[in-house]
Amino acid sequence: MENLLLMISQYSPDSDLDFIIKAYNFAENAHEGQYRKSGEKYFVHPVEVAKILIELELDTITIAAGLLHDVIEDTKYTYEDIQKMFGTETADLVDGVTKLGKIAYKSKEETQAENLRKMFMAMGKDIRVILIKLADRLHNMRTLKFMPPHKAKEKASETLEVYAPIANRLGISKIKWELEDIGLRFLDPEGYYDLVEKVAKKRKEREEYIKKVVAILKEQLKELSTDYEIYGRPKHFYSIYRKMHHQNKAFEEIYDLMAVRVIVNSVKDCYGVLGVVHTIWKPIPGRFKDYIAMPKANMYQSLHTTVVGPDGEPLEIQIRTEEMHKIAEYGIAAHWKYKEGINNQNEHDMDKKLSWLRQMMEWQKDLSDPTEFMEALKIDLFTNQVFVFTPKGDVIELPAGSTPIDFAYKVHTGIGNSLVGAKVDGRIVPIDYQLNNGNIVEVITSSQSNGPSRDWINIVKSSQAKNKIRQWFKKERREENIQRGKDILEKELKRQGYNPNEILKPKYISPILKKISQATDEDLYAAIGYGGIALSQVVPKLKEKYESENQKTKSEIQTIELSDKEYKSKRKYKSQGVTVKGVDNILIRFAKCCNPLPGDEIIGYTTKGRGVSVHRKDCPNITVESDDINNRLLEVEWDLQKSAAFEAEIQVVANDRNGLLSDLTQIFTSEKVPLNGMNARTNKDRIANVNLLIEVNSIDQLKSIMNKVRNLQGINDVFRVLN
């Protein structure tokens, strides 16, 4: 306790330490007799969480809530008890953290999506809830070694997918880096320790080099007559690991292992130091970033430049003020209004810094599909940003890869709905043109526009734009959406062997409407029509209801039972390069919904009268949680002793030109790959979309073919089509 009080007094001498003492004693008493998996007293955990919050220099109420954060969940005390003892504000923070705990959902994606929805709701009410949750996760990660290996991997994966990016979005690099490094250690221990060893080997050499750079810089900066601080910047293991894997580089090719940071007094001094640096060493083209003029979405500000340093070695130099450095380390916590004192300006600044959170809460309300929610979240929250300008010079921030359509909807919904064209840097471009940092974007609109096209949903990058387009179709084209949605659903049911006239009856549809948040069957069809609900949410539930109503029993489902002797013999039936363990004489076919290829992870599904259907393990049609589906799954594996041909579909997106189809077919001819079908079309922007049905013997051969196609002139994208 004395240690905590001392730490608080150092940055906030006027804090109410009696309040902290009271919370400390209450939590210690509440957790009496409880122990962690490590064997230590449970109360150690809330104390460590409080220490992390103190390192972020947060207010006493937040620190007290950190000490109390598990009391409601893990002890006999209630919200009312906390409220009575410590006030409503503290009780709300503790309750907010408690409500972020997991609840049972049908699928992993639904669980994760629901947790994140709750997290953003809590953040919207009081951002300190997520700061406590991040501190809680950080200490749990520090003690991850005491968990079973499979659980530790799950926690590490969730941390890298969700918590580290949220810490990054809030600008708290101090927590983000540690979460990432620990997560990597448990997800890929071999890769992590190999990296640690390589970095350690070069440490002495790197330290000598940094000393040389600092000495040169200090000598040259004397002319500026300003105070400054220079030191080497540590490179975190996860960022090195990610560069090696994402950019396919060897450790020796990572040039920014050596970096120097310069801290100065003012923005003017930042640019002064930059000028000196570029006078001493030649800058590498394209490697200068001005995050002072255009801060990152998480409030980060700094100048970054990479130069050819002493001995011809690439060297990264960061230049920032002390205030910028504090924000880089502590993010939103450095601006906390409860610490600064509330006034109108602080309120305005805080609202501006959290505008992304409000936007996220708006669109997440409209996304009922967990898969879609998670995908949109990763785009808006976890991707890099691109900064472009309006013709008047205003800066617009968008996810990397955004198009003029994203830009239009970011400016105003009405502008997006009436967009008919765009100019970038004064030149007319296709509306799916990918925007780059610094582009000046001008939107061309027309009052005669018929509104957005359905194709736009697949073109835009930001979830905000996707949501606005769906809203337009939802509102303007209801009758069309109802018919379109019904047609789509009927077609899918027919494909799966059901009679739509039999299954699409009120007695089967009505019971599932509440589960998918729809009031009537027309609402359901309309939602499918405008893309608000995925078929994977509807079809399995309909089938389950239909079959249960028709008294389908397990005995009527074709199953394969094996004697112990048969199973131990592991007899295999070979068909088209696939074996089914323990089964002989059975028909095997490949599912058209996912077209598995050798190299894909696969699983068998026992069909009604048509043998075993082989799917990819991640195929949406068999990943739905259902007793019916689970009872039909069989273990299968590739058996490539025989050469076999497998059908695969790829789509090529390219600038339309003479000879495009000829060049494509030439590749298949030279590689001796059979071409079974082709469907080519060109849109009004002269972008060609070519679907090709080919035969290959493995996923590796498919990747090789796709790489050759990518090297052709004017190719924008090549991808495998999974129906």
Side-chain angles (χ1 to χ4, degrees):
M1 189 196 294
E2 288 177 4
N3 188 25
L4 294 184
L5 299 179
L6 180 61
M7 290 168 69
I8 296 168
S9 300
Q10 286 174 347
Y11 72 86
S12 183
D14 300 326
S15 293
D16 183 359
L17 298 182
D18 288 338
F19 191 71
I20 300 294
I21 294 169
K22 184 179 175 184
Y24 185 102
N25 290 330
F26 184 86
E28 185 175 31
N29 178 61
H31 290 295
E32 183 64 41
Q34 295 179 350
Y35 293 88
R36 288 171 65 81
K37 291 188 186 298
S38 60
E40 63 188 4
K41 286 187 175 182
Y42 190 89
F43 183 56
V44 169
H45 172 64
V47 170
E48 290 300 320
V49 168
K51 278 184 184 176
I52 295 167
L53 296 171
I54 292 169
E55 287 168 6
L56 295 176
E57 299 188 0
L58 289 165
D59 58 300
T60 51
I61 288 178
T62 310
I63 296 162
L67 287 165
L68 299 164
H69 79 275
D70 277 334
V71 166
I72 294 177
E73 187 174 1
D74 294 332
T75 76
K76 63 183 180 181
Y77 294 101
T78 63
Y79 171 89
E80 288 72 23
D81 295 327
I82 304 294
Q83 185 183 36
K84 186 177 178 181
M85 291 281 291
F86 300 97
T88 301
E89 191 176 348
T90 306
D92 284 346
L93 287 177
V94 175
D95 191 47
V97 177
T98 303
K99 284 177 178 173
L100 293 181
K102 290 194 173 183
I103 56 176
Y105 278 80
K106 285 190 175 180
S107 73
K108 184 180 176 183
E109 247 172 356
E110 282 188 15
T111 306
Q112 203 174 39
E114 188 58 29
N115 286 337
L116 287 164
R117 286 181 197 273
K118 291 190 293 178
M119 196 175 293
F120 294 130
M121 291 296 289
M123 286 163 70
K125 290 178 182 176
D126 195 327
I127 198 72
R128 292 176 295 177
V129 169
I130 198 61
L131 298 181
I132 298 169
K133 187 66 182 174
L134 286 172
D136 171 60
R137 175 53 63 110
L138 178 55
H139 182 248
N140 282 333
M141 289 296 286
R142 287 173 178 173
T143 57
L144 207 55
K145 64 182 178 182
F146 297 107
M147 292 191 78
H150 72 282
K151 283 285 185 187
K153 276 196 169 185
E154 277 181 20
K155 286 285 183 190
S157 179
E158 186 183 47
T159 297
L160 288 177
E161 287 179 12
V162 177
Y163 288 94
I166 286 177
N168 180 53
R169 198 63 174 83
L170 294 173
I172 313 171
S173 61
K174 189 178 179 65
I175 287 180
K176 174 203 176 234
W177 290 121
E178 191 175 351
L179 287 176
E180 288 181 338
D181 283 355
I182 299 173
L184 174 61
R185 193 167 84 227
F186 284 91
L187 273 183
D188 184 3
E190 189 177 329
Y192 174 82
Y193 287 110
D194 178 58
L195 195 56
V196 170
E197 186 180 343
K198 286 176 178 174
V199 171
K201 280 181 182 177
K202 289 205 168 191
R203 180 169 288 124
K204 188 173 181 182
E205 174 189 327
R206 201 163 57 248
E207 286 173 352
E208 290 299 320
Y209 187 84
I210 294 294
K211 281 181 186 176
K212 184 193 290 189
V213 169
V214 170
I216 295 170
L217 259 179
K218 283 185 174 178
E219 183 63 31
Q220 295 295 323
L221 289 177
K222 286 178 182 176
E223 300 174 12
L224 281 184
S225 302
T226 184
D227 294 329
Y228 58 83
E229 185 183 346
I230 309 175
Y231 52 87
R233 178 183 69 87
K235 193 76 177 173
H236 294 272
F237 296 119
Y238 183 74
S239 64
I240 301 170
Y241 179 90
R242 192 169 52 187
K243 278 192 177 180
M244 288 169 64
H245 285 259
H246 287 198
Q247 298 175 19
N248 234 353
K249 291 184 174 181
F251 176 75
E252 292 71 26
E253 295 177 278
I254 305 295
Y255 62 81
D256 57 352
L257 284 175
M258 290 183 286
V260 168
R261 184 172 288 150
V262 184
I263 309 290
V264 293
N265 291 330
S266 67
V267 172
K268 181 183 175 183
D269 290 339
C270 288
Y271 290 99
V273 170
L274 178 69
V276 171
V277 169
H278 285 178
T279 303
I280 308 170
W281 298 298
K282 186 178 180 180
I284 295 176
R287 297 297 305 172
F288 169 66
K289 292 174 183 174
D290 188 344
Y291 293 121
I292 294 179
M294 289 192 290
K296 287 186 181 182
N298 62 6
M299 302 165 292
Y300 178 90
Q301 287 185 289
S302 187
L303 296 177
H304 289 197
T305 185
T306 303
V307 298
V308 180
D311 307 323
E313 292 281 346
L315 169 71
E316 185 185 63
I317 297 176
Q318 297 179 355
I319 310 163
R320 61 179 69 153
T321 65
E322 185 63 47
E323 180 63 22
M324 291 173 193
H325 181 59
K326 194 170 185 182
I327 293 168
E329 291 289 303
Y330 301 112
I332 199 74
H335 285 271
W336 186 240
K337 60 186 176 184
Y338 290 85
K339 186 173 65 180
E340 296 173 352
I342 300 173
N343 58 47
N344 290 336
Q345 184 58 43
N346 286 337
E347 288 277 12
H348 175 73
D349 289 347
M350 185 62 68
D351 285 344
K352 191 175 178 183
K353 283 154 192 162
L354 292 177
S355 60
W356 61 271
L357 176 58
R358 286 200 308 277
Q359 290 170 10
M360 196 175 299
M361 289 175 68
E362 282 174 19
W363 59 253
Q364 64 94 14
K365 291 174 188 173
D366 297 317
L367 298 179
S368 54
D369 179 8
T371 309
E372 195 175 347
F373 173 74
M374 290 301 293
E375 188 58 36
L377 182 70
K378 287 170 185 173
I379 290 169
D380 272 31
L381 184 61
F382 305 157
T383 60
N384 292 326
Q385 306 294 304
V386 61
F387 298 92
V388 296
F389 296 96
T390 67
K392 292 183 178 179
D394 295 327
V395 178
I396 301 291
E397 174 196 341
L398 295 164
S402 288
T403 66
I405 309 174
D406 294 278
F407 174 88
Y409 278 105
K410 182 80 172 186
V411 174
H412 192 274
T413 304
I415 292 175
N417 289 338
S418 57
L419 176 143
V420 293
K423 289 182 180 180
V424 172
D425 298 335
R427 181 171 60 90
I428 291 179
V429 297
I431 56 174
D432 60 353
Y433 176 87
Q434 195 169 107
L435 300 176
N436 298 305
N437 278 321
N439 283 155
I440 299 171
V441 187
E442 183 181 348
V443 176
I444 303 169
T445 60
S446 169
S447 57
Q448 305 302 313
S449 167
N450 293 323
S453 160
R454 289 190 186 277
D455 293 338
W456 289 10
I457 291 176
N458 300 320
I459 294 172
V460 296
K461 188 71 175 175
S462 65
S463 55
Q464 182 186 21
K466 286 180 190 285
N467 199 34
K468 296 295 184 187
I469 295 166
R470 287 196 185 97
Q471 284 178 353
W472 188 88
F473 279 105
K474 183 177 179 180
K475 183 179 177 183
E476 302 292 330
R477 302 280 180 89
R478 180 169 169 81
E479 292 304 317
E480 179 187 324
N481 288 330
I482 290 172
Q483 188 56 51
R484 175 184 167 83
K486 191 171 183 182
D487 291 345
I488 291 171
L489 184 55
E490 286 180 348
K491 186 177 179 182
E492 178 61 18
L493 289 169
K494 283 179 184 176
R495 193 185 68 75
Q496 296 196 27
Y498 290 86
N499 182 345
N501 293 328
E502 282 294 318
I503 199 168
L504 294 180
K505 290 181 177 179
K507 63 178 179 178
Y508 304 129
I509 295 179
S510 297
I512 72 166
L513 291 174
K514 190 173 182 182
K515 295 179 182 177
I516 50 180
S517 306
Q518 300 299 317
T520 67
D521 56 349
E522 287 195 346
D523 291 338
L524 169 62
Y525 296 143
I528 295 171
Y530 69 76
I533 286 183
L535 287 174
S536 59
Q537 287 180 271
V538 180
V539 174
K541 292 182 175 71
L542 261 179
K543 285 162 54 179
E544 187 179 351
K545 189 66 183 170
Y546 174 76
E547 292 183 359
S548 65
E549 286 289 325
N550 284 277
Q551 297 182 332
K552 294 283 183 183
T553 63
K554 285 186 180 180
S555 62
E556 291 177 281
I557 297 170
Q558 183 184 5
T559 58
I560 301 166
E561 294 184 5
L562 310 173
S563 68
D564 289 342
K565 186 177 178 181
E566 286 175 321
Y567 187 79
K568 287 173 184 175
S569 70
K570 294 186 180 177
R571 292 167 63 205
K572 297 178 180 179
Y573 176 78
K574 296 182 181 180
S575 175
Q576 302 183 62
V578 170
T579 61
V580 181
K581 287 188 179 178
V583 180
D584 200 354
N585 251 355
I586 189 166
L587 176 67
I588 293 177
R589 64 187 183 87
F590 291 99
K592 292 293 183 185
C593 53
C594 56
N595 286 329
L597 294 176
D600 289 329
E601 290 189 24
I602 54 173
I603 194 162
Y605 177 78
T606 310
T607 63
K608 300 168 188 171
R610 290 180 294 165
V612 173
S613 175
V614 179
H615 293 256
R616 284 164 51 110
K617 274 194 175 177
D618 58 357
C619 176
N621 285 330
I622 55 98
T623 54
V624 179
E625 286 292 331
S626 159
D627 289 340
D628 175 37
I629 289 176
N630 291 338
N631 287 333
R632 301 194 197 188
L633 297 181
L634 286 172
E635 191 176 349
V636 297
E637 61 184 24
W638 294 108
D639 184 349
L640 302 177
Q641 293 172 2
K642 293 181 179 179
S643 61
F646 301 85
E647 202 166 65
E649 184 179 358
I650 63 172
Q651 184 168 336
V652 180
V653 183
N655 299 325
D656 191 24
R657 62 174 174 82
N658 290 331
L660 174 63
L661 296 183
S662 174
D663 288 349
L664 286 170
T665 53
Q666 182 60 40
I667 288 178
F668 304 124
T669 302
S670 63
E671 294 294 317
K672 298 180 180 177
V673 170
L675 177 59
N676 295 345
M678 178 187 291
N679 185 339
R681 57 230 175 265
T682 304
N683 65 21
K684 61 183 180 181
D685 297 315
R686 307 305 300 164
I687 300 297
N689 285 272
V690 186
N691 283 60
L692 301 152
L693 208 58
I694 60 176
E695 285 185 17
V696 292
N697 56 37
S698 70
I699 191 80
D700 292 332
Q701 187 183 19
L702 179 65
K703 286 178 180 176
S704 173
I705 293 290
M706 291 169 68
N707 284 334
K708 290 182 188 304
V709 172
R710 281 192 187 95
N711 290 329
L712 290 177
Q713 176 194 340
I715 300 296
N716 297 328
D717 197 6
V718 184
F719 54 89
R720 182 179 172 189
V721 176
L722 302 174
N723 293 335

